[in-house]
Amino acid sequence: IFSAGSKIAREWVPIAVQSGVRVVDNSSAFRMDPNIPLVIPEINSSALEDHHSIAACPNCSAAIMLMAVAPLHKKFNILRIVAATYQAASGAGY
């Protein structure tokens, strides 16, 4: 499990994967990569079934929101969500 920031993840995750390690990365380094599943275990753990290297975690706002929205989407097929978050500057390390 990597949770050391994007810069470190970009450097060390590929090394771990080349060594045969399965990685769960908590940084934003791999979130937008279409070849890496973005996983919230309570919602889509099945995305890991055929994947054998890296799994990325969504940011905290998305993960929490989707825990509530996923059952609604399953029942009503939500097509679009517009959301705004207001996070403290401390989240950026300042």
Side-chain angles (χ1 to χ4, degrees), residues 14-92:
I15 293 168
V17 170
Q18 288 173 356
S19 298
V21 175
R22 292 183 181 185
V23 173
V24 175
D25 181 55
N26 196 41
S27 76
S28 62
F30 304 100
R31 287 182 184 153
M32 300 304 290
D33 187 321
N35 297 313
I36 296 176
L38 192 58
V39 178
I40 301 172
E42 297 85 354
I43 297 171
N44 68 333
S45 60
S46 62
L48 297 172
E49 289 174 3
D50 295 324
H51 199 75
H52 302 289
S53 58
I54 304 169
C57 300
N59 77 358
C60 55
S61 299
I64 291 168
M65 178 182 70
L66 290 172
M67 290 296 292
V69 171
L72 296 171
H73 173 64
K74 189 173 182 179
K75 183 166 178 99
F76 300 110
N77 194 27
I78 296 171
L79 299 178
R80 182 176 177 186
I81 295 173
V82 177
T85 64
Y86 302 93
Q87 298 175 30
S90 63

